Amino acid sequence: MYEITYLNVDENEEYDKTIEKVIYKCFEEEKLLDSKLMITITLTTPEEIRKINKEYRNVDKETDVLSFPMFEKDELDEKIVNKQYLYEDVLGDIIISIDRVKQQAEEYGHSFERELSYMLVHGFYHLMGYDHIEEEDKKIMRPKEEKILNALKITRD
């Protein structure tokens, strides 16, 4: 279902627990629990995420979360409907800057757990082919994110 890599960040059991429950809930909500799809999650530093952003997106700046989906939305939808999963099918990669999680949790006045959970759910839905650039797309993606967080009782408080 997922694999966690710590890149220049100390391993942390609390991060692992949050990732496990959030990703499980995302897979459950999207009816993927019986799939063999995998997500790789990398927790890293602002410097590393900047390097990755520059190398793969040609954007020379730090960000909070990057998502690299392996499938186009239509292709993924077809795999899911037809249950055509291969063991090695990777849904995609989510890369999160732990320092940005801490900073934004403070800035927005909510818990670290809430901010990390949001980034995981946000990244997951990008891997599922959703986006938020256009307002119409945002109206589809945001409720999906909130549904997961509310189901887990991870609120903004």
Side-chain angles (χ1 to χ4, degrees), residues 75-110:
E75 183 184 7
L76 181 60
D77 289 347
E78 187 177 323
K79 277 184 170 294
I80 291 168
V81 167
N82 297 321
K83 296 194 182 292
Q84 295 174 329
Y85 312 114
L86 299 174
Y87 181 72
E88 61 275 358
D89 273 349
V90 174
L91 188 55
D93 305 313
I94 300 172
I95 303 164
I96 297 173
S97 169
I98 288 297
D99 288 349
R100 286 291 289 269
V101 173
K102 292 174 186 169
Q103 176 189 0
Q104 288 174 189
E106 211 171 278
E107 187 179 316
Y108 300 137
H110 53 243

Side-chain angles (χ1 to χ4, degrees), residues 123-145:
F124 173 81
Y125 278 109
H126 276 308
L127 299 185
M128 293 294 293
Y130 294 92
D131 213 329
H132 51 83
I133 295 169
E134 301 295 327
E135 195 58 39
E136 286 304 306
D137 297 330
K138 191 184 287 189
K139 288 178 183 175
I140 297 168
M141 186 172 176
R142 292 291 185 243
K144 286 181 165 293
E145 294 169 339

